[in-house]
Amino acid sequence: MDWDKLRVFHAVAEAGSFTHAGDTLNLSQSAVSRQISALEESVKAPLFHRHARGLILTEQGELLYQTVRDVFHKLSMAQAQLAESQDRPTGPLKVTTTIGFGSTWLTMHMKEFIELYPDVDVTLYLTDEEVDLGMRKADVAIRMKEPRQPDLIQRPLMNVRSTIWATKEYLDRRGRPQTPEDLDDHDLIVFGEDTPLPVASMNWLLSLGANPQTPRRPVLRINNSYGIFRAARTGLGIASVPEYMARTAPNLERVLPEVDGPQTKTYFVYPEELRHSQRITVFRDFLLRKIQDEGLSER
């Protein structure tokens, strides 16, 4: 099988259309179509079902795609290892983490990291979904729960502590709670019920000092911790906010400072095959230094 045709086939399978694959490869749609037709002729089997909404791999196409994808993955690994044979860490580094952690604490430190390692090409992929590192959708993940995949290397980073916060403007207007029971008389911003809670104790404000017979009714539910943080910053109400996030908002004031909320352990995770990657090593060590400097290290 011709390698150029396989390269085009891989792009089409990833994109799901001739047009999008052509954009990626800088080829016309007709040129892409001709390459796929020639490949189908050489393997004597149809590789795609064609329909109005795009392309779907046939059974034979799926078999070929799995093999070609593995080859591309190994080539990508070889390319990265060759680049890192130099003295300085070099090459792409795709990092995935949650929207909350990535949008606040992590992005705040990326300027310093990039200045230290300008030859590392960093991409941040922020999502609250768990990205599959085994499929190389990212090189590194910073996760808020312990990974279950056995082929991943994991290192605890820090314990994220959640505490209670609101703006000074809100507290001046509504009063400062003196006891957990006082939260009954305040507007609470909590995690939404339509999606699974990131941790079981996420909505601890609804039960802290509350009477089970008269459940609290929050002013707003949001299925994202960063959204909760942003809503609290507007003065809408009181919220449980991770310590690392609250530090970035000078207009937030700690509520019930004697009360500590639940802690979540974070992990630095990457595939076993990247164990010797210089890019990952320097990035991990950089994060650990910043965490230590800010007093956020695991407690």
Side-chain angles (χ1 to χ4, degrees), residues 31-74:
V32 172
S33 180
R34 284 196 301 272
Q35 291 278 58
I36 296 300
S37 296
L39 181 60
E40 289 177 323
E41 185 177 339
S42 70
V43 299
K44 297 180 172 55
L47 300 174
F48 293 99
H49 293 300
R50 295 159 173 80
H51 61 87
R53 289 178 294 175
L55 302 171
I56 298 176
L57 288 165
T58 63
E59 184 178 351
Q60 298 93 332
E62 185 66 39
L63 176 63
L64 181 60
Y65 173 63
Q66 297 294 336
T67 303
V68 172
R69 185 179 61 186
D70 289 344
V71 172
F72 267 82
H73 170 59
K74 290 177 180 178

